[in-house]
Amino acid sequence: MKQIDLPAAAEEILRTIWQAGYEAYIVGGCVRDASMGRVPSDWDITTSAGPEEVKKLFRRTLDTGIKHGTVTVMVGSEGFEVTTYRIDGEYLDGRHPKEVTFTASLEEDLKRRDFTINAMAYNPERGLVDLFGGQEDLEKKVIRCVGDPKERFSEDALRMMRAARFAAQLGFSIDEGTKEAMKELAPTLKKVSAERIQAELVKLLTSEHPDEFRTLYETGLTAVFLPEFDACMNTPQNSPHHVYNVGDHTLKAMEGVRADKVLRLAMLLHDMGKAVTRTTDENGRDHFRGHARVSEEMAKKILHRLKFDNATTTAVCRMVKYHDWQIHSAETEYYLRLALHQIGKDAFPDIFEVNRADVMAQSDLWRDEKLSRINRLEELYHSVLDQGQCVTKEELALNGKELIELGVKPGPAMGKILDRMLESVLEDPARNTREYLTSHLESFLS
Ligand code: ATP
Ligand code: MG
């Protein structure tokens, strides 16, 4: 195994701890990533020194998780988490195990970690410590539990989500025994808090392989935290526009947008309403009338249940609501101005990305026509922007303050005037001048 190039600051921390007579290694994700030639996001350190000893060795430290043995050592503006070797107690519902026991043994600390590829340690003097075949699994591109998978998932059910998350991020497959244990223990995910599930879900969705979400379904994990997705998998789409059931279409659509949290969540949820709106006509063809609206409502409930913040929820729901707005749109600048006003200027151009991903996950019937339509709408959108056409009250040539100067009383009536001015300007952007709006003030009053 080749040597790992550590950042100078991390190396200095390791040396300081060693010189004080304790052991110290970089550990976990950074050893995995560096071994793969990836740039680690952070460099975690594990040590035989207790947290109080660590604090004594460095000038600037933060008590990040002192009860769990974690101290952040600051070097310049960068922080390094230094954690004492430990054995975890039960995880219960929280982010951290309920209790931890410190240990003098590196092996004990590595044993408590989730997967072989995450259970390696390294320091420049001792080299790599790989007790569970982590390097071999990296080569084989396999996610495998340290020890008995059933036991490990029983200790912390979140690890099942993490298995799929790492598979998605690294493009690995999950070892058969590990996957079998996931299938068996999936129902126990219900013990895990929504916050922890959310964090792993977002990492999986925003990875290079969001279709790994399928593993969550196949192992029975979605049945616990997103049964609505299981319903999608059981909803056929007998229509010339489709080749997949709703669930498979959803997985395909997720791959069609950038690895962005809002976009990937939007694609995951965009057709949830199809399971409940499906009707089959006399020719055996399926219809999903009003499904975008229903999906939006479901998305709101689901995101709330998974404890997403309001900003994310609002942004995702908007994308879900308008995921197929292009079907009903007119190809005029006026229509685009109305859309920008109603949907929100900041929803664009992402919305076109969502529209395209949806179309690309359908059958190829009229696909070129569908995509051309989206392209034309996008051109109109750019044209409206390039001409600096007004689509919000803030962009009106007259603002509230100026209306007051013209003798309008502040209050709800003024809001109405601004609304009417905007309506008029949306119809004809040439009207957005001080002169026009001032001279037509009377017509906006009634
Ligand atoms: P990332 O790049 O996403 O941060 P990571 O491997 O660093 O990946 P973290 O969630 O930051 O993942 O965890 C750091 C390390 O702690 C892991 O590599 C693993 O060794 C261990 N670990 C984290 N969570 C668990 C868990 N629930 N059960 C067992 N070990 C865990
Ligand atoms: Mg990490």
Side-chain angles (χ1 to χ4, degrees):
M1 143 93 199
K2 57 180 180 333
Q3 113 189 20
I4 293 177
D5 283 329
L6 297 174
E11 200 164 339
E12 180 60 30
I13 294 171
L14 293 183
R15 194 178 316 123
T16 304
I17 301 176
W18 275 75
Q19 279 169 356
Y22 303 100
E23 297 172 13
Y25 296 83
I26 57 160
V27 70
C30 60
V31 180
R32 176 198 68 222
D33 290 343
S35 303
M36 296 178 72
R38 294 185 169 218
V39 181
S41 52
D42 41 34
W43 297 83
D44 293 334
I45 291 165
T46 187
T47 178
S48 59
E52 291 306 327
E53 280 81 43
V54 172
K55 285 174 72 172
K56 276 183 214 146
L57 290 174
F58 299 95
R59 211 156 43 86
R60 287 189 302 138
T61 61
L62 305 169
D63 290 2
T64 318
I66 196 99
K67 269 189 279 169
H68 304 101
T70 304
V71 171
T72 300
V73 174
M74 297 301 299
V75 180
S77 60
E78 222 184 330
F80 293 83
E81 288 197 355
V82 179
T83 305
T84 304
Y85 294 166
R86 66 182 211 206
I87 303 168
D88 290 349
E90 232 185 308
Y91 269 72
L92 292 181
D93 211 30
R95 268 202 151 285
H96 297 289
K98 195 173 136 209
E99 53 187 16
V100 303
T101 317
F102 298 137
T103 166
S105 151
L106 173 64
E107 179 173 354
E108 287 296 326
D109 182 90
L110 294 177
K111 249 168 52 187
R112 70 160 172 104
R113 294 173 185 271
D114 45 11
F115 306 110
T116 60
I117 59 167
N118 286 347
M120 295 180 282
Y122 174 91
N123 77 29
E125 273 171 65
R126 285 273 300 274
L128 184 77
V129 181
D130 175 14
L131 306 173
F132 311 105
Q135 287 295 326
E136 193 187 329
D137 284 342
L138 275 185
E139 261 156 50
K140 289 202 237 158
K141 297 182 182 289
V142 167
I143 308 293
R144 183 199 315 273
C145 283
V146 172
D148 176 10
K150 278 188 217 156
E151 228 171 77
R152 307 318 310 283
F153 293 148
S154 305
E155 290 161 1
D156 179 13
L158 185 75
R159 289 173 186 156
M160 296 185 280
M161 295 283 299
R162 287 173 61 84
R165 184 264 274 201
F166 285 114
Q169 286 182 325
L170 304 171
F172 283 20
S173 58
I174 301 174
D175 159 75
E176 265 317 303
T178 297
K179 205 173 202 169
E180 279 310 307
M182 286 166 77
K183 285 182 186 159
E184 194 174 321
L185 291 163
T188 64
L189 184 71
K190 66 176 186 291
K191 287 190 288 188
V192 176
S193 71
E195 287 84 352
R196 293 182 82 209
I197 292 175
Q198 185 214 105
E200 294 299 329
L201 175 66
V202 167
K203 284 182 180 175
L204 186 154
L205 291 179
T206 55
S207 72
E208 257 180 64
H209 303 279
D211 53 315
E212 186 65 33
F213 189 87
R214 182 184 295 281
T215 301
L216 299 178
Y217 165 70
E218 285 171 354
T219 51
L221 289 164
T222 53
V224 178
F225 75 93
L226 195 61
E228 295 88 346
F229 183 79
D230 293 48
C232 289
M233 278 293 190
N234 293 321
T235 304
Q237 304 195 87
N238 189 6
S239 150
H241 290 283
H242 289 282
V243 277
Y244 301 118
N245 67 43
V246 177
D248 287 326
H249 161 78
T250 293
L251 294 173
K252 186 107 184 118
M254 282 202 293
E255 292 180 276
V257 291
R258 269 172 300 148
D260 169 85
K261 178 163 112 172
V262 168
L263 292 178
R264 289 274 166 90
L265 280 168
M267 293 331 284
L268 175 64
L269 303 172
H270 80 284
D271 270 352
M272 290 276 162
K274 280 191 168 175
V276 288
T277 56
R278 175 168 170 260
T279 56
T280 307
D281 68 21
E282 60 279 10
N283 302 315
R285 181 173 165 169
D286 292 327
H287 299 275
F288 305 93
R289 296 204 178 84
H291 78 273
R293 273 292 167 94
V294 178
S295 296
E296 183 205 2
E297 271 164 37
M298 291 173 73
K300 198 169 168 190
K301 280 197 195 116
I302 290 165
L303 294 168
H304 186 73
R305 191 175 76 211
L306 291 172
K307 301 278 196 295
F308 278 91
D309 59 277
N310 290 336
T312 303
T313 302
T314 306
V316 172
C317 287
R318 184 167 62 173
M319 288 294 152
V320 170
K321 181 176 178 184
Y322 294 105
H323 75 264
D324 61 358
W325 75 290
Q326 83 277 8
I327 296 174
H328 316 284
S329 56
E331 293 178 28
T332 65
E333 286 189 355
Y334 177 39
Y335 191 88
L336 259 292
R337 288 194 296 274
L338 288 177
L340 280 163
H341 168 58
Q342 277 161 12
I343 303 174
K345 216 174 168 180
D346 57 336
F348 293 83
D350 283 358
I351 211 154
F352 296 118
E353 191 168 340
V354 168
N355 302 153
R356 283 195 185 98
D358 187 24
V359 166
M360 291 305 289
Q362 298 171 358
S363 74
D364 54 16
L365 176 72
W366 300 333
R367 179 180 290 164
D368 291 344
E369 289 80 355
K370 290 174 185 173
L371 292 175
S372 303
R373 180 180 186 77
I374 297 169
N375 290 344
R376 289 193 299 273
L377 289 167
E378 193 168 25
E379 276 166 28
L380 288 165
Y381 156 76
H382 282 298
S383 172
V384 165
L385 283 199
D386 292 349
Q387 294 171 72
Q389 295 181 351
C390 161
V391 295
T392 63
K393 281 192 221 176
E394 292 70 38
E395 292 164 329
L396 283 168
L398 268 189
N399 63 29
K401 207 176 134 225
E402 289 160 321
L403 282 178
I404 293 170
E405 283 163 13
L406 290 168
V408 178
K409 295 220 160 56
M414 191 162 90
K416 279 215 177 108
I417 294 175
L418 288 165
D419 284 338
R420 292 211 184 97
M421 287 195 330
L422 181 60
E423 265 171 46
S424 170
V425 164
L426 284 171
E427 259 176 59
D428 181 1
R431 293 175 185 159
N432 194 29
T433 63
R434 273 181 81 86
E435 297 69 40
Y436 181 91
L437 296 176
T438 316
S439 58
H440 289 75
L441 199 52
E442 280 298 313
S443 69
F444 302 127
L445 293 175
S446 51

